[in-house]
């Protein structure tokens, strides 16, 4: 399988704090790769670097053969990033927001319509798309943002805690949605501290703690290796 | 380019929100209200005024004085009776000025002894109309005095011109500006220049403050709504993101200032008539003195203003990045407002060219100062100072823009923080 994203020896310092101490992993085409780890492990930092928001202190990131330092614009063209805590313009209607974002990625009007149509299907907000974003609940906003991240069919979708703030039913829906999308050729890199969610979603996972990757592999493989019934127990054993 | 204009339109739409429209409409309303009140007050002052006159003398001279009052646009209500009685009576009437000519006034005056006229003003509040009335009466008595004194002199010294007797020195006034000279009154020249340019500092201040506030708000809102991270990952260069915000703020700021000014001028339009009248006499003198602004002058002023707006926008952009939310952004505009107020007040109440050197340097170190003094500098040929200002502001803009785009293309756009209250600054 072709490698979409390759991260090698990534380091990041915030002043004297070493948030990432040299992490490496690969995301292959059409797979869902999950970063799991506790609060402050460095998940968001890793994803922000790949999304061109932060500059790494050291290490190399390659996406579709392009180097992050030399071609950040290539990353922005083909990567969609859903931040951990994100909002949309409160004064815009949901549908206008989708239109606004689609125009940055589409090459013509027809493609804008295609993107927006897809987003409508993904978010399932229906008539509420005609209301201003300011009137949406947290879950509705999250779905809108997820739809906008997936509507362009990016080569890689980076989703930082995609289900944060969603209730059980909505989380389930969103997970199904993400899973469905990879079947259409989109690769996904996501983070979560909900191990069960990651276990359900991911083809492969990396366990991250205090800026280091402890172990990685398929959920099944890891469970067998640590002789555990779920990833939570795997994680506890890996930390020790 | 396509993406840039797309982003620009969104920025402008975000800025032209309910709050802006409401505040503009409110301002126009206030201006209109103040304008109308002032206008009607002035109309009252201009209209025929009613005053009361008690003539206890009934001589030829007292009749002349009443006639003159009549000519001076007053409606005379003649009273009769005891003086004390009339003074008391008027307390509860609508009239607020009483002129009393005592008995024997004509007799005294004819015999070259000072005759007394008494005026009683009834203050019923603080209004301009009341004081204007007594001013007019005073001026009138002054003229009557002049007339009578000329009569005396003619009688006593028939072969001499009374004008010459009273003013043996004749004066001619010249105004010199650099190598040009014209005959005319200095105070008229200054008055007319002032009348032409008094509005300019207000416009400048508003443009600078409006645009800065816009851009700070635009960035802070982006942070508060947590949309900045998403925006920074879309396929558009960081420079374009910054430029779109600054340009949008510049456009909306200029437009708001224009609407504001339009409302201001409209509400206080009676001024222009007076100014035009005062100007017509002075205009040729100004021209002779070279105190008019040429096309080149306007261009220089335009450059100065443009650079200053850029300085304001880039400074405000950095402040906006520092702000975590809308409220912090609002308080961050305070130092900017202060920096604009300094040249504003200096230009209104002081002359920058006669200030002490340290004070002058301090004022001119503020980039916003330069357009405030640009017109004066152009008119009076202080072109060195003008160019110095332009070069200074240009360098300032280059440095600031470089710094702003730098901040936007590194981590700092996300990690720079300043939260009011916690007083935490992380750069
Ligand atoms: N802007 C910043 N300045 C300083 N330190 C930071 C900054 N952002 C993150 N850190 C630090 O870097 C470390 C990793 O943070 P990060 O946000 O990547 O964790 P995370 O795995 O996403 O955690 P969570 O599950 O809570 O979202 C933490 O110790 C955090 O305090
Ligand atoms: Mg995180």
């Amino acid at each position: 399988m072709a490698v979409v994203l390759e991260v090698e020896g990534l380091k990041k310092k915030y002043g004297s704090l070493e948030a990432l101490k040299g992490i490496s992993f690969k995301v292959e085409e059409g797979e869902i790769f999950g970063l799991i780890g506790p609060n402050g492990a460095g998940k968001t930092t890793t994803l922000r670097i790949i999304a061109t928001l932060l500059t790494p202190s050291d290490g190399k990131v390659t996406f579709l053969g392009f180097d992050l330092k030399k071609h950040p614009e290539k990353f922005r063209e083909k990567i969609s990033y859903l931040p951990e805590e994100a909002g949309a313009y409160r004064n815009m209607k949901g549908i206008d927001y989708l239109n606004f974002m689609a125009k940055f990625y589409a090459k013509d009007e027809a493609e804008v319509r295609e993107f927006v149509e897809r987003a409508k299907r993904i978010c399932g907000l229906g008539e509420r798309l005609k209301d201003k974003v300011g009137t949406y609940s947290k879950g509705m906003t999250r779905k809108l943002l997820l739809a906008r991240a997936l509507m362009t069919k990016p080569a890689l979708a980076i989703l930082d805690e995609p289900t944060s703030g969603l209730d059980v039913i909505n989380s389930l829906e969103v997970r199904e949605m993400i899973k469905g999308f990879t079947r259409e050729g989109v690769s996904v890199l996501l983070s979560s501290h909900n191990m069960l969610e990651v276990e359900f979603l991911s083809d492969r996972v990396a366990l991250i703690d205090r800026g280091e990757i402890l172990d990685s592999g398929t959920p099944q493989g890891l469970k067998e290796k640590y002789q555990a019934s779920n990833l939570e127990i795997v994680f506890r054993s890996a930390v020790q | 380019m396509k993406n840039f204009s797309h982003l620009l339109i969104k920025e402008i739409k975000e800025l032209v929100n309910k709050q802006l429209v409401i505040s503009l409409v409110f301002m126009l309303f206030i201006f209109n209200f103040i304008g109308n009140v002032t206008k009607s007050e002035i109309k009252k002052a201009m209209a025929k005024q009613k005053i009361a006159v008690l003539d206890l003398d009934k001589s030829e001279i007292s009749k002349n004085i009443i006639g003159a009052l009549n000519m001076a646009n007053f409606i005379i209500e003649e009273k009769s009776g005891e003086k004390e009685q009339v003074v008391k009576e008027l307390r509860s009437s609508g009239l607020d000025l009483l002129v009393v000519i005592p008995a024997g006034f004509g007799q005294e005056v004819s015999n070259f002894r000072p005759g007394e006229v008494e005026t009683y003003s009834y203050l019923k509040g603080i209004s301009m109309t009341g004081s204007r009335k007594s001013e007019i009466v005073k001026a009138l008595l002054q003229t009557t005095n002049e007339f009578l004194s000329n009569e005396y002199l003619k009688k006593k010294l028939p072969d001499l011109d009374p004008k010459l007797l009273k003013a043996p020195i004749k004066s001619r006034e010249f105004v010199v500006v650099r190598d040009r000279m014209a005959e005319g009154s200095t105070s008229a020249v200054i008055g007319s220049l002032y009348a032409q340019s008094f509005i300019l500092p207000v416009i400048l201040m508003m443009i600078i403050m409006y645009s800065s506030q816009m851009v700070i708000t635009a960035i802070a809102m982006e942070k508060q709504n947590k949309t900045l991270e998403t925006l920074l990952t879309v396929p558009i260069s960081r420079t374009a993101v910054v430029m779109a915000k600054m340009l949008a703020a510049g456009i909306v700021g200029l437009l708001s200032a224009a609407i504001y000014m339009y409302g201001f001028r409209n509400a206080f339009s009676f001024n222009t008539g007076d100014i035009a009248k005062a100007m017509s006499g002075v205009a040729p003198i100004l021209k002779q003195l070279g105190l008019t602004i040429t096309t080149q002058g306007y261009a220089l002023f335009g450059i100065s203003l443009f650079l200053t707006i850029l300085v304001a926008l880039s400074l405000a952009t950095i402040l906006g990045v520092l702000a975590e939310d809308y409220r912090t952004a609002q308080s961050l505009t305070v130092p900017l407002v202060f920096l604009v107020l300094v040249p504003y007040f200096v230009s209104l109440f002081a002359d920058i060219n006669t200030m002490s050197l340290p004070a002058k340097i301090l004022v001119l170190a503020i980039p916003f100062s330069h357009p405030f003094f640009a017109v004066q500098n152009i008119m009076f040929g202080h072109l060195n100072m003008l160019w110095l200002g332009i070069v200074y502001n240009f360098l300032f803009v280059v440095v600031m823009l470089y710094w702003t785009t730098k901040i936007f293309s590194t981590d700092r756009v996300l990690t720079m923080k300043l939260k009011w209250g916690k007083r935490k600054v992380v750069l």
Side-chain angles (χ1 to χ4, degrees):
Chain A
M1 269 219 168
V3 172
V4 175
L5 178 81
E6 183 164 9
V7 176
E8 293 169 76
L10 196 62
K11 288 186 184 168
K12 177 67 186 176
K13 278 188 181 173
Y14 294 110
S16 60
L17 181 108
E18 210 173 6
L20 296 181
K21 298 168 185 158
I23 65 167
S24 308
F25 62 90
K26 282 180 196 168
V27 179
E28 283 165 11
E29 198 181 313
E31 78 168 342
I32 300 183
F33 189 92
L35 278 179
I36 42 177
N39 293 130
K43 304 182 293 291
T44 300
T45 304
T46 310
L47 300 186
R48 279 181 161 189
I49 290 173
I50 302 167
T52 75
L53 284 170
L54 297 178
T55 41
S57 311
D58 199 8
K60 197 171 171 198
V61 182
T62 324
F63 170 66
L64 298 178
F66 294 105
D67 185 74
L68 173 68
K69 281 196 196 101
K70 289 188 201 121
H71 298 285
E73 76 286 351
K74 296 283 177 199
F75 280 61
R76 288 183 199 141
E77 268 168 36
K78 293 251 162 68
I79 291 180
S80 284
Y81 173 57
L82 173 69
E84 182 173 11
E85 269 184 57
Y89 301 99
R90 300 176 61 81
N91 286 327
M92 271 191 206
K93 291 176 188 148
I95 190 77
D96 292 341
Y97 176 70
L98 292 173
N99 256 305
F100 168 69
M101 294 304 284
K103 278 185 186 155
F104 286 111
Y105 297 88
K107 51 182 192 300
D108 52 32
E109 277 301 313
E111 204 171 31
V112 171
R113 276 195 296 274
E114 182 196 323
F115 287 170
V116 173
E117 277 313 312
R118 186 175 301 130
K120 277 187 188 165
R121 250 185 296 127
I122 300 173
C123 69
L125 287 171
E127 286 297 300
R128 290 303 304 269
L129 277 176
K130 290 183 191 147
D131 294 336
K132 285 195 175 173
V133 173
T135 68
Y136 289 7
S137 74
K138 205 156 67 175
M140 290 166 73
T141 310
R142 197 74 187 151
K143 281 189 184 172
L144 179 75
L145 291 170
L146 188 72
R148 93 91 200 143
L150 296 177
M151 70 180 174
T152 56
K153 282 208 174 178
L156 178 69
I158 300 179
L159 311 174
D160 199 353
E161 313 219 357
T163 57
S164 85
L166 295 183
D167 61 33
V168 182
I169 305 289
N170 277 304
S171 299
L172 270 173
E173 271 178 39
V174 164
R175 280 179 210 136
E176 300 284 346
M177 206 152 71
I178 296 170
K179 248 199 148 123
F181 244 81
T182 48
R183 279 181 225 120
E184 299 180 38
V186 177
S187 309
V188 176
L189 170 61
L190 59 83
S191 88
S192 181
H193 42 230
N194 182 342
M195 314 267 170
L196 301 179
E197 165 175 308
V198 175
E199 189 176 342
F200 166 80
L201 270 177
S202 312
D203 300 306
R204 287 191 309 128
V205 297
L207 311 178
I208 179 169
D209 188 32
R210 282 174 235 160
E212 282 172 304
I213 289 192
L214 304 175
D215 209 339
S216 65
T218 61
Q220 197 53 40
L222 285 172
K223 279 193 280 190
E224 277 164 20
K225 180 174 169 190
Y226 290 90
Q227 294 173 346
S229 59
N230 63 44
L231 279 183
E232 271 172 7
I233 300 171
V234 169
F235 193 86
R236 211 170 54 202
S237 313
V239 170
Q240 280 157 8
Chain B
M1 206 50 223
K2 181 201 95 193
N3 279 353
F4 180 77
S5 54
H6 177 46
L7 187 58
L8 181 67
I9 291 169
K10 171 241 152 195
E11 296 297 347
I12 292 177
K13 274 191 191 156
E14 287 272 297
L15 287 177
V16 185
N17 54 15
K18 246 186 251 155
Q19 271 154 303
L20 180 74
V21 174
I22 289 174
S23 84
L24 278 177
V25 169
F26 181 70
M27 274 303 178
L28 290 183
F29 178 77
I30 294 281
F31 278 158
N32 211 22
F33 179 72
I34 298 174
N36 278 341
V37 169
T38 323
K39 263 180 204 160
S40 71
E41 195 67 8
I42 286 181
K43 218 185 239 163
K44 246 194 267 168
M46 296 292 192
K48 281 204 172 206
Q49 307 285 335
K50 226 176 179 184
I51 60 172
V53 176
L54 176 62
D55 184 5
L56 299 170
D57 187 44
K58 307 264 184 216
S59 67
E60 199 57 37
I61 295 179
S62 75
K63 290 229 173 71
N64 275 344
I65 289 179
I66 294 172
L69 285 172
N70 220 336
M71 298 273 282
N73 239 354
F74 283 114
I75 299 170
I76 312 286
E77 195 172 310
E78 288 236 30
K79 297 276 169 191
S80 54
E82 285 286 305
K83 186 174 87 179
E84 278 72 24
Q85 194 55 41
V86 174
V87 168
K88 214 185 263 174
E89 203 183 288
L90 283 187
R91 279 203 304 238
S92 53
S93 78
L95 291 165
D96 52 13
L97 192 79
L98 168 68
V99 178
V100 178
I101 305 173
F105 171 81
Q107 193 67 30
E108 295 285 317
V109 170
S110 311
N111 292 329
F112 303 116
R113 281 194 299 268
E116 275 179 7
V117 172
E118 295 164 359
T119 63
Y120 296 83
S121 295
Y122 293 81
L123 286 189
K124 285 158 187 166
I126 310 168
S127 97
M128 293 302 289
T129 334
S131 84
R132 255 184 84 109
K133 268 189 208 169
S134 70
E135 283 304 313
I136 295 172
V137 171
K138 222 188 261 168
L140 216 91
L141 291 175
Q142 178 74 32
T143 320
T144 320
N145 256 338
E146 186 81 3
F147 172 74
L148 289 176
S149 116
N150 285 350
E151 290 295 300
Y152 292 161
L153 287 171
K154 257 188 230 155
K155 237 183 241 169
K156 293 271 167 187
L157 304 160
D159 22 328
L160 284 177
D161 182 359
K163 259 192 219 151
L164 195 72
L165 271 177
K166 283 198 283 188
I169 303 171
K170 217 182 149 195
S171 71
R172 287 176 75 188
E173 216 179 331
F174 294 90
V175 185
V176 183
V177 175
R178 279 174 294 161
D179 53 350
R180 290 164 185 246
M181 191 169 76
E183 184 163 3
S185 138
T186 325
S187 59
V189 166
I190 292 178
S192 131
L193 289 181
Y194 197 78
Q196 281 180 70
S197 59
F198 89 104
I199 203 85
L200 191 71
V202 184
I203 307 178
L204 283 173
M205 189 177 66
M206 275 182 341
I207 294 177
I208 295 173
M209 295 209 300
Y210 261 126
S211 333
S212 322
Q213 192 147 17
M214 301 259 148
V215 84
I216 290 189
T217 311
I219 295 174
M221 286 310 275
E222 200 87 58
K223 285 197 158 190
Q224 182 168 319
N225 291 339
K226 309 226 184 295
T227 45
L228 187 61
E229 269 187 72
T230 314
L231 183 66
L232 294 178
T233 56
V234 301
I236 181 167
S237 79
R238 296 292 167 83
T239 318
V241 172
V242 182
M243 290 304 153
K245 288 219 179 288
M246 293 195 358
L247 190 59
I251 291 172
V252 178
L254 272 173
L255 270 180
S256 317
I259 293 174
Y260 203 69
M261 282 329 303
Y262 173 79
F264 188 84
R265 285 205 76 124
N266 231 15
F268 299 92
S269 55
F270 52 88
N271 265 339
T272 48
D274 293 350
I275 292 171
K277 221 195 297 165
M279 280 279 297
S280 61
V282 190
I285 303 174
L286 292 182
K287 209 167 172 198
Q288 207 175 335
L289 291 172
L291 291 180
T292 49
I293 301 185
T294 57
T295 320
Q296 194 197 355
Y298 276 117
L300 280 176
F301 176 70
I303 294 172
S304 177
L305 177 62
F306 178 70
L307 287 173
T308 307
I309 293 176
L310 282 184
V311 171
L313 289 176
S314 49
L315 259 177
T317 306
I318 293 175
L319 288 176
V321 171
L322 280 172
E324 269 288 84
D325 49 29
Y326 183 71
R327 270 188 47 200
T328 317
Q330 289 297 310
S331 47
L332 279 176
T333 51
V334 173
L336 271 184
V337 170
F338 181 75
L339 284 181
V340 182
L341 283 180
V342 171
Y344 174 70
F345 282 118
V346 169
S347 73
L348 281 186
F349 301 118
D351 179 4
I352 182 79
N353 291 303
T354 55
M355 281 166 76
S356 73
L357 192 64
K360 198 169 163 178
I361 290 175
L362 217 64
V363 172
L364 293 182
I366 301 173
F368 304 139
S369 294
H370 298 280
F372 280 93
F373 308 115
V375 169
Q376 208 187 73
N377 286 333
I378 291 168
M379 279 188 176
F380 291 92
H382 305 304
L383 289 183
N384 282 345
M385 189 167 140
L386 183 73
W387 277 108
L388 206 77
I390 288 181
V391 171
Y392 177 72
N393 274 4
F394 180 74
L395 293 178
F396 209 99
V397 167
V398 170
V399 172
M400 290 311 281
L401 282 184
Y402 175 77
W403 197 28
T404 317
T405 40
K406 188 98 191 157
I407 287 177
F408 263 80
S409 52
T410 59
D411 298 10
R412 272 180 292 175
V413 65
L414 292 178
T415 54
M416 262 169 64
K417 261 175 213 152
L418 198 148
K419 237 186 177 167
W420 243 220
K422 281 187 189 165
R423 298 215 173 262
K424 190 176 87 181
V425 186
V426 183
L427 291 177

